[in-house]
Amino acid sequence: MGRLASNEVLEFLIILVVLLATARIMGEFFKKLGLPAIIGELLGGILLGPSFVGAIFPGFFQAVFIDPQQSSVAFDGISKLSVMLLLFIAGMEVKLDNIRTRGKAAAKISLSGILFPLVIGFGSTWLLYDIFFSEPTNNKMAPALFMGTALSITALGVMAKILIDIDMIKSRFGNLMMTAAMIDDIIGWMLFSVVITIADLEAESRFGSITVLLMIAAYGTFLITVGRTKIVDPLFKYANEKLSKPGAELSLAMILCLLSGIFTEWLGIKAIFGAFLMGVTVGNSPYFSEKAKETFHDIVTYVFSPLFFVSIGLKVNFVANFDLAIVLLVLAISVSGKIMGGYIGARLSGFKPNKAIAVGFGMNARGSQEIVLGLVALQAKIIDEKLFVGLVIMTFITIVMAGPGMKYFLRKHDNKTKISQEDEEIMQATEEVSPAKM
């Protein structure tokens, strides 16, 4: 096994310190502004990367991030582990009991919210391929399906923060929104597994496309049913009763995450997908304590996740690859498709018009999943840098507009409901007075 020399260890530690410090400072700054930390972490990476520091101080950028090749490879390993853990905790937020109890109404919102942007994204990319991509291709299926998938996923974490901010996280409306976002996550990542299979990722998979899809569907079903009750639950129960707490639970969670990632990477579907599926399984285990969940979540959120997001800015020059036409097109397709789909699904679930529009704005919030999905697609050459930049900017804008949009239309709904109630009371009073006058 190779190892880093002393000077390479020093270079590696410098990279870690610079990136983590920048990510945390920028993340905390944007949290103070009432925005998700992910925006600050991504912007921190963009500032440090070739877009700004690399252009203004090329010598510093070259010395710290480019020349130390072995250290950069080591950091790339940390970055890949970080994104696996990020998807693992994203999976832990999916509550299967909520889906079972509120599944019918939430499914209408979720399926409609996925179907519209999926169809619009797929169709637009197929028809306008030459605008989205600079290089021609004979196979439009993978990039078109990717765009549809990328534009259809709702950010579960962003949704939760918005609902907490407007004090509706525990309401029927809030529960329904969270459940719909959970269903979105599951369907979205299943669709992405289809994209990866179709793209074939340069023949990384050792199985045929249909075989891979069947195997991943069987694996996911096994994990959340028999796998959880017969394997995961007994393991966590033993760890709780016989081993040190919460250390044993944290170690077990990490091992299970890595094992699941190893299996899906072996299939050719990428390790992050296995991490997400195992996150759903572990997060729904009654023997994985809340204390362990919170500890694991904090470690990933405040250490690994910032390292991943800040590193994205080092990989792409956001200034050189900024294309206004692509940004506006991605934004128009994503916003119109998601708000329209969320609105129709909410109306089918019985919501009044203004509240249904609020649902559309909430479902329109994107976040870390889109960035992860986009980066994987970029590395697999399904998309190029210009489209990736467009997706990142779309994520920023939809995060910023989701909260104010929801608040505005919920306020309109409440005002209209209040006026309707007052009108009804006046009519009732009038009806009671009229007979008396007669």
Side-chain angles (χ1 to χ4, degrees), residues 145-157:
L145 187 56
F146 162 78
M147 280 296 290
T149 303
L151 301 182
S152 65
I153 300 177
T154 296
L156 190 57

Side-chain angles (χ1 to χ4, degrees), residues 98-257:
N98 285 1
I99 294 175
R100 292 189 191 101
T101 55
R102 302 182 184 91
K104 189 174 181 181
K108 292 177 184 177
I109 296 172
S110 177
L111 293 176
S112 179
I114 285 178
L115 182 63
F116 276 84
L118 179 64
V119 172
I120 293 173
F122 181 93
S124 300
T125 306
W126 191 281
L127 295 173
L128 305 174
Y129 184 89
D130 293 337
I131 296 176
F132 280 114
F133 299 94
S134 55
E135 296 183 7
T137 183
N138 294 322
N139 180 19
K140 297 180 182 178
M141 180 61 72
L145 187 56
F146 162 78
M147 280 296 290
T149 303
L151 301 182
S152 65
I153 300 177
T154 296
L156 190 57
V158 175
M159 173 79 75
K161 183 186 182 301
I162 293 169
L163 291 170
I164 290 169
D165 289 345
I166 62 178
D167 198 27
M168 293 195 75
I169 189 70
K170 294 182 180 179
S171 66
R172 176 183 176 272
F173 176 82
N175 285 329
L176 206 58
M177 291 287 286
M178 287 297 291
T179 306
M182 291 173 195
I183 297 172
D184 253 26
D185 261 13
I186 294 173
I187 296 175
W189 284 101
M190 290 300 291
L191 285 172
F192 188 51
S193 72
V194 176
V195 175
I196 293 176
T197 304
I198 291 174
D200 198 26
L201 293 188
E202 297 179 3
E204 286 183 17
S205 178
R206 51 185 45 79
F207 303 103
S209 301
I210 301 300
T211 303
V212 170
L213 291 176
L214 290 174
M215 288 176 73
I216 204 66
Y219 177 60
T221 304
F222 169 78
L223 275 184
I224 62 176
T225 53
V226 179
R228 200 205 82 190
T229 57
K230 299 299 183 183
I231 300 175
V232 173
D233 285 355
L235 285 172
F236 276 107
K237 185 179 180 182
Y238 180 83
N240 269 318
E241 294 175 354
K242 305 294 184 181
L243 306 176
S244 57
K245 294 195 298 187
E249 290 178 88
L250 297 175
S251 299
L252 179 58
M254 177 71 83
I255 291 168
L256 290 173
C257 171

Side-chain angles (χ1 to χ4, degrees), residues 71-123:
S71 303
S72 297
V73 171
F75 178 77
D76 186 60
I78 296 288
S79 180
K80 283 183 167 55
L81 175 62
S82 298
V83 71
M84 277 187 68
L85 296 177
L86 177 64
L87 267 294
F88 182 74
I89 64 169
M92 286 201 299
E93 293 178 346
V94 176
K95 304 302 177 189
L96 296 176
D97 287 341
N98 285 1
I99 294 175
R100 292 189 191 101
T101 55
R102 302 182 184 91
K104 189 174 181 181
K108 292 177 184 177
I109 296 172
S110 177
L111 293 176
S112 179
I114 285 178
L115 182 63
F116 276 84
L118 179 64
V119 172
I120 293 173
F122 181 93

